[in-house]
Amino acid sequence: MDKLVIKGGKKLQGEVNISSAKNSVLPILVATILNGNNCTIENAPMLEDVFVICEVLKSLKANVSIDKINNKVKINTANLFDNDANDELVRKMRASFLIMGPMLGRFGNFKISLPGGCNIGTRPIDLHLKGLSALGAEISVGHGYVEAKAKKLRGSNIYLDYPSVGATENIMMAATLADGETVIGNAAEEPEIVDLARFLRAMGAQISGEGTDTIRILGVKDFKEVVYKPIYDRIEAGTFMITAAITKSLIKINGADGVHLKPIIAKLTEMGVAIEINENSIIVDGRKKLNPVDIKTMPYPGFPTDMQAQMMSLLCTVKGTSIITETIFENRFMQAVELKRMGANIKIDGRSAVIEGVDTFTGSEVTATDLRAGAALILAGLTAEGATTISDIYHIDRGYVSIEQKLKGLGADIERVSS
């Protein structure tokens, strides 16, 4: 397996281009199931998760072509049929469960194995099933599978007990072909939800309210051919913002959207990071002395759980006491053990992490336990004394496009090596 070897302590400078959002592209690719015509996704990130979801679609007999040179994915689902999805692929990635909604909406019957993904918490699918059941599906769960059946989905008023992104997306997609109107209350408000709604509307869906806690979908009969370009990745942008702060560098981040990054910008500004927001870029100056802060992860527009690990690395380098409270996932401090190998002073108490800043990280051999933990270790390695070797970087490849090349473009000493 490949590893990343980082020699820390270098000041970085220059510009970095952000890729399209993985968390937008995956549901958009899945949504093509609803459409029997050609769908083209432009500027698609060439990530392992994208390749896996395309293989899932191929297992359902979709015609999928990936152009890695021009970053395009073309999909035609005209010959799709209600076959069971490939179990091994579905267990590989949690986002695969999103095929349940569109397959049920189009064919009225689908069976899928329980999903996999990063080991950061239980992330139950009960809200997905509750929403699909409210649309008229008969749901059965057993022996590691979920099966849903419905002669015809019908619109309904659905209130989510928690604003789950995945459940909101699954229900939205299923409802686009249901009879009548569906109203989703306490819906997730993430930018990726808005992007999915725009894609569905480009195909011909009737959707309104995305970006608020109430989304309305009026079912339609069919869809049309579409070419679509997803939004940029706010989590990748946030990761590079912290890169500037932790290495005390000046970096311009192209493609970053200040609106999508408000909670991250607010916390970094509170710490003393200078941030200039432009129309299509953000300039981050981390060369000032930084202050400790407290952070609590929340659903959007709160501080994103996907940025918690990266922020932990930064706070480990800031003198004073900081506290991070994780409210989304119960097992998302796994990076703390690895950071402690590098000299971090972190104490975990349930869902809170108490961090005492240290003078510096020390290079070490560490393991990426999940996607964002891997990003946190890269950040620590960039500022550490000596060399840091990160293994299990396939987690990192699931969410960051050529991250070592982007960092090298900024002046980092980082190499991918085969073991």
Side-chain angles (χ1 to χ4, degrees), residues 135-399:
L135 293 173
E138 295 181 5
I139 308 287
S140 59
V141 182
H143 305 290
Y145 289 87
V146 179
E147 187 169 10
K149 297 180 180 180
K151 288 185 178 180
K152 179 64 179 176
L153 296 181
R154 59 182 183 277
S156 178
N157 289 327
I158 301 168
Y159 183 85
L160 297 178
D161 297 328
Y162 178 85
S164 162
V165 172
T168 301
E169 291 169 339
N170 235 337
I171 297 165
M172 282 172 62
M173 290 186 284
T176 59
L177 290 174
D179 285 338
E181 185 182 50
T182 298
V183 180
I184 308 173
N186 198 29
E189 302 176 28
E190 274 76 357
E192 294 78 16
I193 295 289
V194 176
D195 208 26
L196 175 60
R198 288 173 178 166
F199 174 73
L200 292 170
R201 198 156 46 235
M203 290 201 305
Q206 294 190 34
I207 300 178
S208 62
E210 69 275 8
T212 74
D213 64 357
T214 304
I215 299 175
R216 298 178 181 274
I217 306 109
L218 186 63
V220 297
K221 299 299 182 183
D222 51 31
F223 293 105
K224 61 186 178 182
E225 185 172 318
V226 66
V227 177
Y228 192 80
K229 182 179 179 181
I231 60 173
Y232 289 103
D233 195 322
R234 62 191 172 103
I235 304 303
E236 185 189 18
T239 301
F240 276 100
M241 292 177 73
I242 293 181
T243 299
I246 201 168
T247 61
K248 301 187 181 304
S249 303
L250 179 67
I251 297 175
K252 182 181 180 183
I253 304 167
N254 297 319
D257 188 323
V259 175
H260 296 169
L261 292 162
K262 276 185 178 180
I264 301 166
I265 290 170
K267 281 299 173 183
L268 289 177
T269 301
E270 184 181 340
M271 292 180 68
V273 179
I275 298 173
E276 178 185 324
I277 303 172
N278 303 306
E279 184 176 354
N280 296 309
S281 66
I282 292 177
I283 299 173
V284 183
D285 187 348
R287 295 175 293 184
K288 296 182 181 179
K289 181 180 178 181
L290 302 183
N291 308 307
V293 295
D294 294 343
I295 289 168
K296 184 177 184 180
T297 63
M298 297 287 286
Y300 189 85
F303 193 90
T305 181
D306 278 352
M307 286 300 304
Q308 175 262 111
Q310 300 92 307
M311 186 61 81
M312 180 179 283
S313 290
L314 174 59
L315 293 175
C316 285
T317 68
V318 178
K319 285 293 185 180
T321 303
S322 301
I323 299 175
I324 297 177
T325 302
E326 172 62 58
T327 72
I328 309 298
F329 298 123
E330 74 278 8
N331 192 27
R332 205 160 200 186
F333 287 142
M334 291 192 292
Q335 75 277 1
V337 173
E338 303 301 310
L339 290 174
K340 287 167 78 170
R341 294 181 193 274
M342 301 178 70
N345 185 351
I346 306 168
K347 293 181 181 178
I348 306 298
D349 183 11
R351 291 205 172 201
S352 293
V354 181
I355 302 163
E356 293 288 342
V358 297
D359 290 332
T360 185
F361 284 114
T362 302
S364 181
E365 293 190 4
V366 291
T367 301
T369 54
D370 62 75
L371 168 56
R372 305 307 173 185
L377 296 176
I378 290 175
L379 291 168
L382 289 172
T383 190
E385 290 183 350
T388 297
T389 301
I390 306 173
S391 58
D392 287 1
I393 63 172
Y394 64 89
H395 286 298
I396 300 170
D397 292 337
R398 289 184 48 239

Side-chain angles (χ1 to χ4, degrees), residues 50-89:
V50 171
F51 303 146
V52 170
I53 208 70
C54 286
E55 288 301 317
V56 172
L57 293 171
K58 287 180 182 179
S59 76
L60 297 169
K61 307 305 179 186
N63 186 348
V64 182
S65 65
I66 300 174
D67 182 347
K68 293 183 179 180
I69 296 176
N70 296 304
N71 298 327
K72 285 186 181 182
V73 179
K74 294 184 178 180
I75 302 174
N76 187 294
T77 60
N79 296 321
L80 213 67
F81 64 95
D82 57 344
N83 185 29
D84 298 345
N86 182 291
D87 291 351
E88 183 180 348
L89 293 170

